[in-house]
Amino acid sequence: MTMKRPIAILLVLLGAATLVHGMGAADESLSEYEIKAAFLYNFAKFADWPESAFSKPAAPLVIGILGKDPFGPILDQVVEKKPIDGRPVFVKRLKNAREAKGVHILFVPRTDNAELGRAFKEIDPLAILIVGENEKFAERYGTIGFFIEENRVRFEINVASAERAGIKLNAKLLQLARIVGNGKGDGK
């Protein structure tokens, strides 16, 4: 077993604990992107995609990273050999939004809003859970937006955006989020 393995297991456990119990003191020793990687994995665990989002029952769940990858190997380590509902989970790096076909979660790192607007013209959001870091991301562009509050990673959810994408989010996940767009996703 390599040293990376215990870190990945810790992150997954931290992510699960975080979703169930809220942010604890243990997260303060982890980097922002270690925490966000654990959140992305756990978002996948607490979301249901329509069957049509997968080519076959055992098809992998794919997490795409659009543009510059702020995670390095962290996200790969978090999802490695941790299937969700019998599906392996893979990470795919995308050079542009046109490559998002077949992706189930699309992470969009901080970028300028003009570039973000251009990228979203190329994405078919059907069955893609779009997660980003820009300010008010969930209200303006995607479904889940990360933000930092009191030095902790938090997230907001646009419920209607998820519904438009055909994705059902677990009530436990919604309880821990700040709901935006009046809970009806009309923020777009």
Side-chain angles (χ1 to χ4, degrees), residues 72-188:
I74 295 169
L75 185 56
D76 299 277
Q77 293 168 8
V78 167
V79 304
E80 183 181 16
K81 298 181 183 176
K82 295 176 193 72
I84 296 175
D85 295 331
R87 299 178 187 282
V89 182
F90 293 119
V91 178
K92 180 179 178 183
R93 273 84 181 169
L94 312 173
K95 292 180 183 171
N96 58 61
R98 291 184 300 275
E99 297 176 346
K101 184 174 182 180
V103 167
H104 302 94
I105 295 178
L106 179 63
F107 177 76
V108 183
R110 283 183 198 100
T111 188
D112 72 64
N113 286 338
E115 185 176 331
L116 199 55
R118 284 192 296 276
F120 271 80
K121 289 180 181 174
E122 299 175 346
I123 296 173
D124 177 2
L126 192 60
I128 299 177
L129 182 65
I130 303 174
V131 181
E133 299 181 301
N134 279 40
E135 185 176 343
K136 297 186 177 184
F137 183 87
E139 286 184 58
R140 296 178 179 162
Y141 303 104
T143 302
I144 299 178
F146 285 120
F147 63 97
I148 304 294
E149 184 178 76
E150 297 176 2
N151 293 322
R152 294 179 181 225
V153 176
R154 310 270 188 197
F155 60 95
E156 57 189 16
I157 294 178
N158 184 325
V159 176
S161 177
E163 291 172 356
R164 282 192 299 271
I167 300 168
K168 294 180 182 171
L169 300 176
N170 185 293
K172 290 179 183 175
L173 182 64
L174 296 175
Q175 288 174 348
L176 296 171
R178 180 168 70 191
I179 304 299
V180 296
N182 296 326
K184 299 176 181 175
D186 58 1
K188 287 191 172 189

Side-chain angles (χ1 to χ4, degrees), residues 6 8 21 38 42-43 48-49 52 56 63 77 85 118 121 126 151 177-178:
H21 301 294
N42 282 287
F43 292 159
D48 290 318
W49 280 264
S52 62
K56 56 187 176 183
I63 299 174
Q77 293 168 8
D85 295 331
R118 284 192 296 276
K121 289 180 181 174
L126 192 60
N151 293 322
R178 180 168 70 191

Side-chain angles (χ1 to χ4, degrees), residues 27-64:
D27 63 305
E28 293 175 9
S29 63
L30 300 174
S31 76
E32 176 182 346
Y33 286 98
E34 288 171 327
I35 294 168
K36 287 180 178 178
F39 269 127
L40 287 176
Y41 177 76
N42 282 287
F43 292 159
K45 289 176 64 176
F46 287 87
D48 290 318
W49 280 264
E51 287 184 32
S52 62
F54 298 93
S55 60
K56 56 187 176 183
L61 191 145
V62 180
I63 299 174

